[in-house]
Amino acid sequence: MKNRINLSALKTSRLTSFFMLFILLCSHNLTFGQQTICIGSVKHYSVDTSENSGLGSTGSTYNWNVIGVLFSGTITQTVTGSTNTATIDWQQTPPGIYTVSVRETNSNGCSSIQNLQVIIKPLPTVHLNDLIICTNPITGNWLNQGILNTGLSSSTYSFVWQKDGVTLPNTTPYLIVTQIGLYSVIVTNNSTGCQASDSATVSVSSAPQATVTVTNPFDDVQNIVVTIVNGIGNYEYSIDGINFQDSGNFSVSTPGLYSVIVRDKYLCGSISLPVFASGYPKFFTPNGDGFNDTWNIIALPNFSKSKIFLYDRYGKFIHQINSSNYGWDGTLNGVNLPATDYWFTVEYYDITNNLQTFKSHFSLVR
């Protein structure tokens, strides 16, 4: 059987004669050979397999034990026929020297102990990091090279690489990858034969290409919506450059020019998108105190191309605001107009350069 250590096979005819003497003297402690294994090994052990059709000495019972305070595995003895065999799962028992010991007690109550020295060797230490390859968001071309590296020496270890379960021809300590997938490496210590493995996922991401719109301009609460046009990244969004969220939707209650940042969580790139949450004062107070002395549209995209027309409550045109002035000061031909509601129409081009029209009213307060 594979990995089977047969203590009885180590006995010579001289030892067999010695065992006959043991039956008479009833107390002996014998050590047979040495075994070298790796951490995590599962091994099978047996004694007296040449006797009683392999079931050990007739009338004898066998008790298995591992001597070593750091032993942390499990011992499973045969439960049928005879206990002259055992399986030891060494699990994570640390490197060191241990003793597999079996006590045989015959039908007369006499016992002897047979020992096997076991040396546990450490496994290679190998760790692969997952790779994120940055790509062009339009073409998908890789922008950086992907290297999986064990960091180990080829003079001490040998290497077997696999991609998605298929063995690759590469036998170097590192692997240059050109495709996404699940990669793994089996590392063998050339002197001990101990093996360890690890795996890593190679995936791609990219900088975003996106557009931003305001779904309800001039409302008291406006919705800013970011739409990804190109890109395969895992993106997060911010409207203040500090706090980021997974959603590209924002609600704002203060009109103004905002800059929405969209960035790839894997650092493949980011973009900043200006967006106008247009609004207007619901009232103004042209009293010369330096506060709210003029009225104008707030955060209007393409302001130089826009036209803003003001009317009194009867529909009479009283003023036009454009990029050459700072707004309306509440006068008509230099004369203060009365405190009341006034109406306006704004014609403007949105961020996508489409002509839009909006109408509403505000109050002049004196």
Side-chain angles (χ1 to χ4, degrees):
M1 181 180 296
K2 185 179 181 181
N3 295 329
R4 189 178 186 89
I5 303 299
N6 191 327
L7 297 188
S8 62
L10 299 175
K11 297 179 181 180
T12 63
S13 59
R14 179 181 178 184
L15 291 177
T16 302
S17 299
F18 192 87
F19 246 104
M20 296 299 294
L21 181 60
F22 140 73
I23 296 176
L24 297 176
L25 297 180
C26 204
S27 178
H28 288 283
N29 192 332
L30 305 175
T31 298
F32 297 104
Q34 186 181 85
Q35 179 189 37
T36 300
I37 63 174
C38 305
I39 289 179
S41 295
V42 178
K43 298 293 183 179
H44 305 288
Y45 302 89
S46 61
V47 293
D48 298 343
T49 55
S50 62
E51 304 172 28
N52 191 23
S53 301
L55 298 178
S57 299
T58 302
S60 291
T61 58
Y62 300 84
N63 184 37
W64 293 84
N65 186 35
V66 173
I67 301 173
V69 295
L70 298 181
F71 174 69
S72 59
T74 59
I75 303 173
T76 304
Q77 293 187 213
T78 304
V79 295
T80 58
S82 175
T83 56
N84 70 320
T85 64
T87 299
I88 299 180
D89 184 350
W90 291 91
Q91 298 180 5
Q92 295 305 304
T93 299
I97 299 176
Y98 301 84
T99 299
V100 175
S101 180
V102 55
R103 178 184 292 272
E104 178 182 354
T105 303
N106 65 18
S107 57
N108 295 322
C110 293
S111 64
S112 68
I113 297 174
Q114 302 176 59
N115 296 321
L116 173 68
Q117 187 180 75
V118 176
I119 300 174
I120 297 182
K121 295 292 185 178
L123 303 181
T125 300
V126 55
H127 178 70
L128 297 179
N129 293 314
D130 291 340
L131 291 182
I132 302 294
I133 305 299
C134 295
T135 63
N136 184 298
I138 300 177
T139 65
N141 294 335
W142 286 25
L143 302 179
N144 58 294
Q145 188 180 57
I147 300 178
L148 296 171
N149 198 342
T150 65
L152 301 175
S153 172
S154 58
S155 63
T156 305
Y157 302 94
S158 58
F159 308 87
V160 176
W161 291 92
Q162 292 185 331
K163 176 186 179 295
D164 297 326
V166 178
T167 300
L168 302 174
N170 308 73
T171 58
T172 56
Y174 62 90
L175 180 69
I176 298 176
V177 297
T178 57
Q179 295 178 315
I180 63 173
L182 177 63
Y183 291 82
S184 62
V185 62
I186 300 173
V187 179
T188 303
N189 186 307
N190 295 330
S191 62
T192 67
C194 293
Q195 292 184 335
S197 64
D198 197 23
S199 61
T201 299
V202 177
S203 53
V204 293
S205 193
S206 74
Q209 289 191 329
T211 60
V212 60
T213 57
V214 177
T215 61
N216 48 344
F218 296 100
D219 283 2
D220 291 338
V221 177
Q222 300 181 48
N223 296 320
I224 296 174
V225 180
V226 179
T227 302
I228 300 298
V229 178
N230 281 306
I232 55 174
N234 187 1
Y235 301 121
E236 57 185 2
Y237 309 80
S238 175
I239 202 169
D240 59 10
I242 300 174
N243 302 294
F244 283 82
Q245 64 184 42
D246 291 335
S247 170
N249 296 333
F250 299 92
S251 294
V252 296
S253 57
T254 302
L257 172 61
Y258 292 88
S259 181
V260 179
I261 297 175
V262 186
R263 71 182 184 187
D264 176 45
K265 291 183 179 181
Y266 300 116
L267 307 180
C268 284
S270 65
I271 56 172
S272 180
L273 302 171
V275 59
F276 295 85
S278 302
Y280 61 94
K282 300 300 187 290
F283 67 92
F284 79 117
T285 56
N287 55 12
D289 65 355
F291 298 96
N292 298 321
D293 284 336
T294 60
W295 184 95
N296 203 347
I297 297 294
I298 303 171
L300 195 63
N302 298 304
F303 185 75
S304 63
K305 298 168 60 177
S306 65
K307 297 178 182 179
I308 305 170
F309 304 97
L310 304 181
Y311 307 89
D312 66 14
R313 61 188 302 177
Y314 302 106
K316 177 183 176 181
F317 172 76
I318 57 176
H319 189 72
Q320 180 179 350
I321 300 174
N322 53 46
S323 59
S324 64
N325 55 52
Y326 296 100
W328 182 47
D329 61 2
T331 65
L332 177 60
N333 297 324
V335 178
N336 289 338
L337 292 183
T340 185
D341 284 354
Y342 293 85
W343 294 81
F344 70 91
T345 298
V346 54
E347 298 175 355
Y348 68 100
Y349 290 87
D350 62 20
I351 198 169
T352 59
N353 209 35
N354 291 317
L355 181 62
Q356 306 288 345
T357 301
F358 178 76
K359 298 179 181 181
S360 190
H361 61 90
F362 61 93
S363 298
L364 189 158
V365 179
R366 292 193 185 276

